[in-house]
């Protein structure tokens, strides 16, 4: 089996992976793998922008306070301050990549404001900030020394204990699959950095792209890492409901400009949930839509902004107007079908701001990590800021002081600084008696079942009974997936299905452990917020 040695091994090509790789390239050989093309990631779809205090009238303390309030006080105060205060360096990193953030006529930054922010502090590049940032980082990485491997999916991390080595269990790389050729080989490195994003695809409705299957979280958990706060999944209230309109968001600004949430008969329903009606905060709106859908059995609810007239709509919401038109929905004449959709994974692999996880040799950055910034709910536009800051900090830790083989408890080897030397051999990937899969329909069926049951039982409004039902079904599905996984040769689809099922289980386990409603976790069995502040931690798999 081929083994590729590298000083640093980065998994993922969103903001956190590309930035980590760009910083680390100054210190040694970096290999970056990504399971699609470089731009296939959540980062590419970010619309709003990136938080960073820059206005002299604003302060880091105010930003930190807004973040703590949004997170229902579950965020970790020092972490929140640390990340907010380092945001300007992260923004500068993007400017150095060539990102042109919007400016006013007088040359000052055109900072915008979103829900939950007490000041204008969001850098943006129109409503395609993520795309602009991604393109700039890709241009830079293409010119760098980073060894980029697209269409390469990580199968599993290589852990020393699993390959029969004594001493402290540590990560020394991963088995990967070249999706085009099907070849499985290993990338060996004392420094593996997961930047694999969230797990939005675990829900039936999501605005996340297909890459968001929670692979990194599942890989880390299988490797024995601690996972936390997975019950906090943020739902965007208004994702366009149309079979071809995957992940298109109808901005909350549409409600801000007077759109009403209505049922299929055009009757408004928000007043019975909140006196602010359609202008209630995001979580309440998402919960109310979910409740109406469950009560009526309808597939979606609607936004009604017909009263504003065509000329106004074209001028104020050109992108949304044209996108709806593409799907045959005329905002000036029709109701816009919407559903709430999974948007952001607040929890993940327990990690410090400089990427340290509970496993030696394994770091985690970005949406797959849980640093303590978001607490029980993410403040808008804080996630790209976290990715930038934590990528920089992780590189500052690992660059000058990389993990080396031979420095751990009982590790044999030379600990030689030279790349790869002294590192243990990695056994070839074993296929056992596996045969080529002949019933792909089983995979798609199980995939659909997980996403549907997570939507129905572990969605926006939860109960103990629904969670218990989900836990039971996921247990059975995970057993069936395990059997399938060992019977047939691995494919990217089976790998993602296996990871999705682990994430589903982790969300349910965390949700069952939280006996209160806080932030994004709302349960009818414990509707109040507890006085006790507690993170939900799940120990890694010890099989
Ligand atoms: C529609 C939308 C709008 C958003 N708007 C904003 C916004 O305005 N502001 C903001 O701050 N945040 C926003 N977010 C959230 C933000 O985009 C994400 O949190 C952020 O981009 C995550 O970056 P990341 O690098 O951690 O992960 P991602 O950008 O998701 O990148 C993950 C990468 O890992 C790769 N990968 C995953 N598994 C594997 C594997 N097994 N093997 C190899 N590669 C793998 C993927 O292919 C991908 O390249 C938005 C999200 C969405 C979906």
């Amino acid at each position: 089996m081929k083994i590729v040695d590298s000083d640093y091994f980065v998994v993922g090509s969103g903001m956190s992976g590309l930035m980590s790789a760009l910083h680390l390239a100054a210190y040694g050989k970096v290999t970056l793998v990504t399971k699609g093309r470089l731009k296939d990631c959540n980062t590419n779809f970010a619309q709003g922008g990136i938080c960073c205090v820059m206005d002299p009238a604003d302060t880091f303390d105010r930003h930190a306070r807004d973040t703590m309030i949004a997170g229902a006080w579950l965020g970790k105060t020092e972490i929140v301050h640390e990340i907010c205060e380092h945001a300007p360096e992260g923004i500068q990193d993007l400017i150095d990549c060539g990102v042109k953030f919007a400016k006013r006529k007088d040359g000052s930054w055109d900072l915008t404001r979103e829900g939950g922010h007490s000041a204008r502090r969001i850098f943006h590049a129109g409503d395609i900030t993520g795309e602009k940032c991604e393109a700039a980082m890709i241009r830079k990485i293409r010119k760098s020394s980073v060894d980029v491997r697209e269409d390469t999916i990580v199968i599993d991390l290589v852990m020393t204990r699993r390959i029969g080595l004594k001493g402290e269990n540590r990560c020394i790389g991963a088995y990967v699959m070249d999706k085009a050729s099907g070849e499985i080989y290993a990338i060996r490195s004392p420094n593996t950095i997961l930047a694999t994003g969230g797990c939005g695809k675990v829900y039936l409705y999501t605005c996340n792209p297909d890459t968001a299957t929670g692979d990194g979280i599942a890989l880390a958990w299988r490797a024995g890492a601690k996972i936390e706060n997975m019950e906090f999944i943020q739902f965007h209230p208004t994702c366009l409901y149309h079979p071809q309109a995957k992940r298109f968001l109808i901005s909350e600004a549409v409600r801000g400009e007077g759109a009403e949430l209505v049922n299929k008969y055009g009757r408004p329903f928000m007043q019975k949930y909140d006196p602010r009606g359609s202008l209630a905060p995001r979580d309440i709106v998402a919960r109310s839509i979910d409740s109406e859908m469950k009560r009526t059995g309808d597939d979606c609810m609607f936004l009604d902004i017909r009263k504003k007239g065509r000329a106004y709509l074209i001028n104020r919401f050109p992108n949304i107007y044209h996108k709806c038109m593409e799907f045959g929905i005329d905002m000036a004449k029709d109701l816009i079908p919407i559903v709430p959709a999974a948007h952001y994974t607040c929890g993940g692999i327990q990690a410090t701001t400089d990427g340290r996880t509970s496993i030696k040799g394994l770091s985690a950055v970005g949406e797959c990590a849980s640093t303590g910034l978001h607490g029980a709910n993410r403040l808008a536009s804080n996630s790209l800021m976290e990715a930038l800051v934590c990528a920089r900090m992780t590189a500052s830790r690992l660059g000058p002081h990389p993990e080396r083989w031979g420095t751990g408890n009982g590790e044999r080897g030379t600990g030689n600084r030279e790349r790869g030397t002294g590192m243990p051999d990695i056994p070839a990937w074993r296929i056992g008696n596996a045969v080529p899969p002949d019933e792909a329909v089983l995979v798609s069926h199980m995939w659909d079942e997980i996403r549907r049951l997570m939507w129905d039982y572990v969605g926006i409004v939860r109960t103990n009974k629904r969670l218990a039902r989900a836990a039971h079904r996921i247990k059975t599905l995970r057993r069936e997936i395990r059997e399938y996984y060992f019977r047939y040769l691995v494919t990217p689809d089976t790998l993602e299905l296996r990871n999705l099922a682990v994430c589903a289980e982790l969300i349910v386990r965390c949700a069952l452990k939280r006996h209160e409603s806080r932030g994004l976790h709302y349960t009818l069995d414990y509707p109040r917020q507890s006085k006790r502040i507690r993170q939900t931690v799940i120990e890694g798999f010890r099989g």
Side-chain angles (χ1 to χ4, degrees):
M1 185 190 64
K2 179 167 91 182
I3 297 181
V4 173
D5 281 306
S6 210
D7 297 321
Y8 306 99
F9 171 34
V10 178
V11 187
S13 59
M15 179 82 79
S16 48
L18 291 179
M19 266 304 170
S20 301
L22 284 168
H23 289 307
L24 286 166
Y27 298 97
K29 180 184 171 193
V30 182
T31 300
L32 179 144
V33 303
T34 188
K35 64 181 173 178
R37 312 300 296 170
L38 278 173
K39 67 175 174 49
D40 297 334
C41 56
N42 275 18
T43 301
N44 205 41
F45 293 91
Q47 297 171 336
I50 309 171
C51 291
C52 174
V53 170
M54 200 54 88
D55 187 330
D58 191 11
T59 65
F60 291 126
D61 282 350
R62 276 175 71 184
H63 185 188
R65 191 177 154 74
D66 291 345
T67 303
M68 289 297 293
I69 292 171
W73 303 100
L74 193 73
K76 297 177 186 158
T77 320
E78 316 88 81
I79 305 289
V80 171
H81 277 271
E82 187 184 6
I83 295 180
C84 292
E85 285 167 23
H86 282 88
E89 293 142 48
I91 291 289
Q92 189 57 49
D93 288 336
L94 284 174
I95 294 171
D96 293 345
C97 284
V99 177
K100 299 209 178 336
F101 288 110
K103 286 190 170 177
R104 295 208 187 87
K105 282 203 183 102
D106 64 3
S108 61
W109 296 116
D110 180 25
L111 302 175
T112 179
R113 186 172 168 176
E114 287 182 314
H117 287 276
S118 61
R120 288 186 168 269
R121 60 169 78 104
I122 294 159
F123 279 73
H124 67 99
D127 62 357
I128 48 168
T129 308
E131 197 182 313
K132 294 266 187 198
C133 293
E134 188 69 18
M137 291 184 294
I138 289 176
R139 276 196 299 277
K140 191 155 180 186
I141 210 133
R142 293 267 186 228
K143 289 189 200 142
S144 76
S145 60
V146 175
D147 168 20
V148 172
R149 293 162 186 252
E150 292 178 288
D151 292 316
T152 303
I153 185 166
V154 169
I155 302 175
D156 252 328
L157 297 172
V158 180
M159 299 302 299
T160 47
R161 209 167 284 165
R162 241 173 252 165
I163 60 171
L165 297 178
K166 294 215 170 70
E168 189 181 5
N169 196 22
R170 72 183 268 181
C171 175
I172 53 166
Y175 289 106
V176 302
M177 174 196 273
D178 177 329
K179 285 164 78 175
S181 65
E183 182 191 9
I184 294 176
Y185 61 98
I187 296 183
R188 182 169 54 188
S189 174
N191 303 285
T192 298
I193 298 129
L194 294 174
T196 46
C199 62
K201 290 293 283 186
V202 83
Y203 284 96
L204 184 61
Y205 299 115
T206 177
C207 59
N208 288 190
D210 292 344
T211 48
T213 49
D215 296 5
I217 297 169
L219 292 168
W221 177 76
R222 277 199 296 274
K226 287 184 182 163
I227 309 293
E228 67 180 17
N229 291 351
M230 287 294 287
E231 69 274 38
F232 300 115
I233 302 287
Q234 189 175 59
F235 289 83
H236 192 287
T238 52
C239 192
L240 185 62
Y241 178 70
H242 188 279
Q244 269 97 51
K246 270 180 160 183
R247 65 180 172 268
F248 186 72
L249 295 181
I250 305 292
S251 158
E252 296 191 67
V254 176
R255 276 184 289 122
E257 297 297 341
E260 285 255 47
L261 282 159
V262 298
N263 61 20
K264 63 185 174 196
Y265 305 110
R267 283 191 211 111
F269 59 83
M270 275 305 299
Q271 281 297 335
K272 70 177 175 207
Y273 293 100
D274 192 285
R276 287 161 290 187
S278 295
L279 286 175
R282 184 185 269 204
D283 303 351
I284 295 175
V285 172
R287 270 206 292 278
S288 310
I289 297 172
D290 180 71
S291 163
E292 280 299 291
M293 284 171 60
K294 288 221 167 69
R295 194 180 63 77
T296 58
D298 290 338
D299 290 336
C300 66
M301 290 288 133
F302 298 86
L303 273 170
D304 183 359
I305 192 160
R306 294 174 295 180
K307 63 185 175 204
K308 286 290 187 176
R310 190 176 309 282
Y312 173 86
L313 293 172
I314 293 177
N315 180 45
R316 177 66 182 83
F317 300 113
N319 188 27
I320 297 174
Y321 179 87
H322 291 297
K323 200 68 177 182
C324 285
M325 273 303 200
E326 274 177 36
F327 299 115
I329 303 158
D330 180 350
M331 290 170 79
K333 282 202 324 216
D334 303 325
L335 300 178
I336 310 167
I338 49 91
V339 280
H343 187 51
Y344 186 79
T345 311
C346 292
I349 308 160
Q350 195 183 71
T352 56
T353 47
D354 57 4
R356 236 180 263 268
T357 70
S358 56
I359 298 280
K360 195 172 161 60
L362 184 68
S363 301
V365 190
E367 194 170 332
C368 69
S370 174
T371 58
L373 174 70
H374 306 301
N377 194 355
R378 176 193 70 128
L379 180 65
S381 289
N382 259 359
S383 37
L384 289 174
M385 171 186 77
E386 183 189 38
L388 280 173
V389 170
C390 295
R392 176 176 251 276
M393 288 186 171
T394 301
S396 303
R397 171 175 66 90
L398 291 178
H401 308 291
E403 300 269 2
R404 292 206 185 90
W405 179 257
T407 54
N409 229 348
E411 282 169 7
R412 294 229 195 104
T414 61
N416 194 318
R417 287 202 60 166
E418 258 180 68
R419 191 170 305 141
T421 53
M423 288 201 69
D425 199 16
I426 295 180
W429 179 255
R430 280 200 311 245
I431 60 165
N433 297 324
V435 295
D438 57 359
E439 282 200 290
V441 66
L442 292 180
V443 174
S444 56
H445 180 87
M446 288 190 271
W447 177 279
D448 289 346
E449 190 174 345
I450 291 176
R451 298 183 68 204
R452 165 62 73 183
L453 83 85
M454 287 300 286
W455 182 259
D456 287 343
Y457 299 154
V458 198
I460 299 167
V461 178
R462 299 163 180 173
T463 63
N464 282 344
K465 208 163 139 193
R466 287 184 204 157
L467 290 175
R469 205 169 276 176
H472 177 73
R473 191 63 201 121
I474 291 168
K475 197 171 165 204
T476 312
L477 275 164
R478 282 202 57 214
R479 204 185 51 238
E480 290 168 9
I481 292 168
R482 206 166 26 243
E483 281 166 22
Y484 188 95
Y485 183 80
F486 289 111
R487 184 172 309 155
Y488 299 107
L489 295 176
V490 290
T491 67
D493 284 350
T494 44
L495 293 173
E496 289 184 339
L497 172 68
R498 182 176 179 235
N499 293 332
L500 212 62
V502 168
C503 289
E505 184 180 304
L506 291 171
I507 294 170
V508 173
R509 283 174 65 187
C510 285
L512 279 166
K513 278 183 155 207
R514 186 165 291 281
H515 295 175
E516 62 166 343
S517 288
R518 182 184 293 273
L520 299 163
H521 175 70
Y522 183 78
T523 161
L524 297 177
D525 290 301
Y526 310 101
R528 295 226 176 84
Q529 188 166 303
S530 153
K531 288 203 178 74
R532 220 177 117 217
I533 301 278
R534 188 180 57 83
Q535 317 290 331
T536 324
V537 180
I538 303 273
E539 293 294 329
F541 180 63
R542 302 256 175 259

